[in-house]
Amino acid sequence: FNENQRGRMFTMMRNPIERAVSLFHYLGVADWEPTYDPDLAYISIEMYARSKRIEHNWMVRFLSNELERDLTEKHLDVAKEVLRKKCLVGILDEKAESFMRFEKYFGWPLPSEEAKSCHENFIENASNKHDHPLIEEGSAAWELLSVKNDLDMKLYEYGKELFREQARLFMNKNQQPQNAAPAPNQQTAQIGAASDEQNNAPMV
């Protein structure tokens, strides 16, 4: 990549507590996964939340490149800037809208009726989806997971703010139809500009 050909990326964000619960149930049965852990099938989600197996602010750690040491609000700020400047944000609870934005932004047309049908089926029934029991907000397990992922929860809320702000990129404009992708050299800059008109996004 260079100044004339900038990297572009997107992310699909999920509530960190829901993600942790899903991962717990999935890894206890997914014997095809390298991270399969059969012991998880024999403990409760609350026991899992109290253990060292639980994810601990996974999103903030990866975006701030701090995988081992304790995190601070400064790491959260770094993660927010990565999202703001470099990511087209999708929200799993807004899956259809998110995929529509990805397709329009990157210029990914659906070339046939078969492709459209496959696309719709994927949105409704993800291929690797694993049904599992949910936990109630406010329950002991929920509170434990919330404490362990406090910075990720803040980042998720920020991601939802960006999702609302980036809707501006997909409004009808006189100079550009809503169903057309922005020109390649404009795309990365527009992500950051959706949150801050004065800042062009740097290269990925």
Side-chain angles (χ1 to χ4, degrees), residues 50-67:
R50 295 181 187 276
S51 74
K52 293 183 179 180
R53 290 185 173 103
I54 186 66
E55 287 184 347
H56 183 207
N57 292 310
W58 178 85
M59 285 193 295
V60 171
R61 286 189 178 281
F62 271 77
L63 291 178
S64 65
N65 197 31
E66 181 51 79
L67 303 182

Side-chain angles (χ1 to χ4, degrees), residues 95-96 99 103 110 113-129:
K95 187 160 49 175
F99 272 90
E103 290 155 8
L110 297 173
E113 290 302 317
E114 182 180 4
K116 291 177 182 177
S117 177
C118 179
H119 173 272
E120 291 171 1
N121 183 60
F122 178 80
I123 289 178
E124 295 299 322
N125 306 289
S127 60
N128 207 27
K129 186 177 180 180

Side-chain angles (χ1 to χ4, degrees), residues 31-193:
D31 56 7
W32 55 89
E33 294 282 4
T35 49
Y36 167 59
D37 186 348
D39 292 343
L40 296 181
Y42 301 100
I43 65 174
S44 68
I45 183 65
E46 190 171 334
M47 292 172 65
Y48 174 68
R50 295 181 187 276
S51 74
K52 293 183 179 180
R53 290 185 173 103
I54 186 66
E55 287 184 347
H56 183 207
N57 292 310
W58 178 85
M59 285 193 295
V60 171
R61 286 189 178 281
F62 271 77
L63 291 178
S64 65
N65 197 31
E66 181 51 79
L67 303 182
E68 297 181 359
R69 293 180 295 183
D70 290 342
L71 299 177
T72 68
E73 292 287 330
K74 290 183 179 180
H75 294 96
L76 174 61
D77 290 340
V78 170
K80 285 181 175 181
E81 278 297 278
V82 171
L83 284 185
R84 186 182 71 82
K85 289 187 173 182
K86 299 188 176 186
C87 284
L88 179 63
V89 176
I91 300 295
L92 190 63
D93 287 343
E94 301 282 353
K95 187 160 49 175
E97 171 70 15
S98 297
F99 272 90
M100 179 278 292
R101 293 185 187 185
F102 298 157
E103 290 155 8
K104 289 184 176 180
Y105 188 82
F106 290 99
W108 293 335
L110 297 173
S112 66
E113 290 302 317
E114 182 180 4
K116 291 177 182 177
S117 177
C118 179
H119 173 272
E120 291 171 1
N121 183 60
F122 178 80
I123 289 178
E124 295 299 322
N125 306 289
S127 60
N128 207 27
K129 186 177 180 180
H130 176 67
D131 292 328
H132 58 79
L134 304 177
I135 62 173
E136 288 188 24
E137 185 171 355
S139 65
W142 181 282
E143 293 302 325
L144 286 167
L145 292 170
S146 180
V147 169
K148 289 287 184 72
N149 293 281
D150 58 333
L151 297 182
D152 268 12
M153 289 296 292
K154 293 178 180 179
L155 184 64
Y156 177 65
E157 292 302 319
Y158 182 70
K160 290 196 292 185
E161 290 179 18
L162 291 179
F163 181 78
R164 291 189 291 269
E165 291 172 4
Q166 289 177 358
R168 296 196 296 110
L169 298 176
F170 304 93
M171 293 177 179
N172 283 313
K173 296 179 181 179
N174 292 332
Q175 69 273 25
Q176 179 172 295
Q178 188 178 18
N179 61 354
N185 290 342
Q186 297 173 347
Q187 290 176 324
T188 306
Q190 285 184 333
I191 292 176

